[in-house]
Amino acid sequence: MSTVRRPDHRSEQHGSHRSARSSHAAGLRHVLTHLITPLLMCIGMGLAYLGAFANPAPHHLPVAVVGSGRSAQLLAQSISDKADGDLEVRTVADRSAAVDRLKRQEIFGAYVAHAQGATGGTSAKGASASGTSADEASKGVTHQKGARERAAGRAGGGGAAGGSVRQAPELLVATAGSDTSASVVQKVFTPIAAHQGAPLKVTDVAPPAEDDPTGQGIFFLLVAVSIGSYASVAVIGGAGAVLPVRWRAALAIGTSLVVSLIGAAFAGPVFHLVEHGLRGLWGMAWLYSAGILLIGTGLHTFLKRWTTLGVMALFVMLNFTSSGGIFRPEMQNGFFAALHSFWNGAGFVEGTRSHVYFDDYGLPGHVWTLVGWLVAGLLMVGVAALAEKRRRSAEAEAAAHATAVAAAAVAATVPEPMPGSMPERGSRAVRSAGATGAGQGSGAAEADAADAVEAEMEEAVGV
């Protein structure tokens, strides 16, 4: 009499628990692998933003003292010695020359130490008092002596014989070039003006738009255009991976056109960041966005799911910090100051400032910077096209080789058909099995690719 063995429920439960633990471990490894990207973003953003913005200080910031006499030269030399390399002080002949240099962004502040307005003849005593006051500012003499000299100046300027009327010291700035640099310059010259016994008069020769009083709206416009550009890279490169490279490049150029139009709308009719020059701003926004999208589309061929991290490093971490939108390069360390000379964000910000506020001075150089990045994007797309062509050729050769090997294996294992036999059924079974396996393999590959694309786009949108 035979006995029937009951199933061992304990072994079945143990196997199911083992399978669940294995599934959980695989899921945990998958999550930890994907956490690498945001953690690297955290490290990169911290190093970039804190390294660039945490401790701003002037480094050879160019300023000027207006005047050609000995007192102006002494004042400039005194300020330069006390600045110890923070300021680069020079003298300019007159006020109009200082304004011209400010509008060319050669200097970021000009101090008129002893502005005068003639009311008749110029008395020798009044002129002597003005020169002495400038010397006091440069040499730091006592307040009592300064008061005596200021009193003498007022006496000389207001005598019955007529003379010169002393005006308040004046500081010329151009806040459209950099509001933070103008603030630093004002802090430098305010104590010097105090020695002349009058409040410092600040004159802005290039003010920003009325609706952008700090002049930093252009920087935040750069942020909006950048995010619209690099976030689109993940979609074009991931979801459009099945498309030929030339189609993806066309999509990138079309997307950049839309992004630039959105940026122009923000700058003009929506927020009124600029009062004129909107067409030029749109053109530079298109060059800037197209360069980012083409470079990112080309990089996706090689970086795959790491493309988001790559474009963030290029066009956020290094780009925003070196653009000059918050602090000009003279207020940053040497690394970010060097990037400012050729990075695309600096080209857009400085080009827009030049076009809108500074009569296009220096504009061609900034436009060529943007064109250079666009050309780099076209070259990157070309390299990606060659790499994908070689990859497809290699895959086709590998597939042909695998097919030949499989056919040889089937031929070796299937016996020769006997006369009168029906081999069709067996061969159909073999072909059916091969097709089923191929279908399952391609389905799994497509599912993995879809998961990778979805994860990449989620990372881009999340950032």
Side-chain angles (χ1 to χ4, degrees):
M1 183 175 179
S2 62
T3 60
V4 179
R5 296 184 58 185
R6 296 181 179 179
D8 192 346
H9 295 291
R10 288 177 297 178
S11 61
E12 290 179 358
Q13 291 176 355
H14 182 70
S16 63
H17 291 165
R18 183 186 304 169
S19 175
R21 285 196 299 269
S22 177
S23 176
H24 292 163
L28 182 60
R29 285 194 300 270
H30 182 74
V31 171
L32 292 177
T33 301
H34 282 76
L35 278 175
I36 294 175
T37 300
L39 292 177
L40 289 176
M41 289 178 181
C42 176
I43 295 172
M45 294 289 281
L47 290 175
Y49 274 76
L50 295 177
F53 297 150
N55 187 25
H59 301 282
H60 302 285
L61 182 69
V63 297
V65 173
V66 177
S68 56
R70 181 173 179 272
S71 61
Q73 294 175 355
L74 287 175
L75 178 58
Q77 185 61 48
S78 174
I79 296 171
S80 180
D81 292 342
K82 293 177 181 178
D84 193 22
D86 293 342
L87 302 177
E88 185 179 301
V89 189
R90 63 195 72 175
T91 59
V92 294
D94 51 37
R95 189 179 186 279
S96 62
V99 172
D100 182 65
R101 292 199 179 190
L102 280 166
K103 290 188 175 182
R104 291 173 175 264
Q105 293 188 285
E106 295 177 2
I107 58 175
F108 296 93
Y111 183 69
V112 186
H114 48 276
Q116 295 177 344
T119 60
T122 302
S123 70
K125 190 174 182 180
S128 174
S130 297
T132 305
S133 179
D135 278 339
E136 290 168 3
S138 63
K139 298 177 182 178
V141 298
T142 63
H143 291 289
Q144 292 81 1
K145 184 178 180 181
R148 290 197 300 269
E149 294 294 343
R150 287 192 293 273
R154 286 192 294 270
S164 63
V165 179
R166 300 249 334 270
Q167 296 178 347
E170 183 182 20
L171 177 65
L172 307 176
V173 295
T175 55
S178 174
D179 181 68
T180 53
S181 296
S183 299
V184 169
V185 171
Q186 187 172 346
K187 289 180 180 179
V188 170
F189 286 104
T190 296
I192 297 174
H195 287 286
Q196 292 185 265
L200 182 65
K201 175 186 176 183
V202 180
T203 302
D204 194 348
V205 302
E210 183 178 354
D211 290 329
D212 182 25
T214 64
Q216 295 179 359
I218 295 173
F219 170 75
F220 294 108
L221 176 64
L222 170 79
V223 173
V225 174
S226 301
I227 292 176
S229 301
Y230 81 74
S232 300
V233 168
V235 178
I236 295 174
V242 296
L243 299 174
V245 175
R246 63 180 181 276
W247 285 28
R248 278 177 273 156
L251 284 172
I253 293 175
T255 304
S256 67
L257 176 62
V258 176
V259 170
S260 64
L261 288 173
I262 294 173
F266 285 155
V270 178
F271 293 107
H272 307 287
L273 301 178
V274 299
E275 296 173 346
H276 63 277
L278 190 59
R279 290 184 180 179
L281 183 148
W282 166 76
M284 285 183 281
W286 177 78
L287 287 173
Y288 173 75
S289 178
I292 292 176
L293 274 154
L294 289 173
I295 290 175
T297 300
L299 284 176
H300 192 276
T301 298
F302 306 99
L303 300 182
K304 300 298 182 184
R305 63 178 294 264
W306 299 102
T307 305
T308 298
L309 180 61
V311 295
M312 279 198 66
L314 288 174
F315 304 120
V316 176
M317 300 174 190
L318 299 178
N319 189 27
F320 295 171
T321 51
S322 64
S323 65
I326 302 297
F327 298 112
R328 285 193 55 82
E330 295 85 4
M331 297 291 296
Q332 296 182 301
N333 59 45
F335 175 73
F336 293 100
L339 291 182
H340 181 85
S341 62
F342 65 92
W343 218 255
N344 60 342
F348 176 75
V349 169
E350 299 296 351
T352 301
R353 285 173 174 168
S354 173
H355 181 57
V356 176
Y357 299 118
F358 297 101
D359 300 325
D360 292 340
Y361 182 78
L363 179 62
H366 303 310
V367 172
W368 278 115
T369 297
L370 297 174
V371 170
W373 282 82
L374 178 63
V375 171
L378 293 172
L379 292 175
M380 181 61 67
V381 169
V383 172
L386 291 176
E388 290 189 9
K389 183 178 179 181
R390 291 181 179 178
R391 187 181 301 169
R392 286 194 301 270
S393 299
E395 290 174 353
E397 292 178 0
H401 179 69
T403 302
V405 171
V410 170
T413 55
V414 175
E416 291 292 332
M418 299 296 294
S421 63
M422 299 177 63
E424 290 80 3
R425 181 180 300 175
S427 60
R428 282 199 302 269
V430 171
R431 287 195 298 269
S432 176
T436 302
Q440 292 175 349
S442 62
E446 291 176 359
D448 292 341
D451 291 341
V453 170
E454 184 178 357
E456 181 180 354
M457 287 190 287
E458 286 177 355
E459 290 173 0
V461 174
V463 172

